[in-house]
Amino acid sequence: MAPKSAAEIAWDDKYNTLLDLFESDKLDECLEGTEKLLQENHLPRYHYIKALLLLASLIPDVEEAWAKQSEAKLLWHLLRQSNPAGEDLKTDEAMQELWEEIEEGTRELEEELGKKYGPHPGEGDAESDASPLDEE
């Protein structure tokens, strides 16, 4: 993986600013900024996924948050297809970290949905918990 471009660094900075707002408990500002970031025309898919995950953690409606989480998961798979495992170590590491964020958010939302509706079919199945990274 080549060194980060100025554009990638700028996208990182925008995302990190939102993350700082989140960690500072400035959730309304973070929500507004995240929604604005997701509307950027040239936002790279990686940053789009990260922003979706952040948005999913901000949305109080669990079904809407689940939809954002699911979209992030789908986009991760598309990104992985265009960046196959084993071609670039740094990309593989970034994809692994992103997948772990997706899985963490999914577990948190499953817990929230479980509180609201009870456990969903397949919860806790070893097969449904497997990482797609294990298949590569």
Side-chain angles (χ1 to χ4, degrees), residues 60 62 105-118:
V62 70
T106 299
R107 282 189 299 275
E108 290 170 6
L109 285 170
E110 285 174 342
E111 185 178 309
E112 289 299 313
L113 286 166
K115 288 177 188 174
K116 188 171 183 177
Y117 298 112

Side-chain angles (χ1 to χ4, degrees), residues 86-134:
E87 289 188 357
D88 184 282
L89 181 60
K90 290 195 185 268
T91 299
D92 289 347
E93 289 172 358
M95 292 299 293
Q96 176 65 35
E97 288 174 19
L98 193 53
W99 182 254
E100 289 170 4
E101 288 179 42
I102 289 169
E103 285 297 291
E104 180 182 347
T106 299
R107 282 189 299 275
E108 290 170 6
L109 285 170
E110 285 174 342
E111 185 178 309
E112 289 299 313
L113 286 166
K115 288 177 188 174
K116 188 171 183 177
Y117 298 112
H120 73 284
E123 187 173 350
D125 289 353
E127 188 174 313
S128 66
D129 292 341
S131 167
L133 300 171
D134 296 338

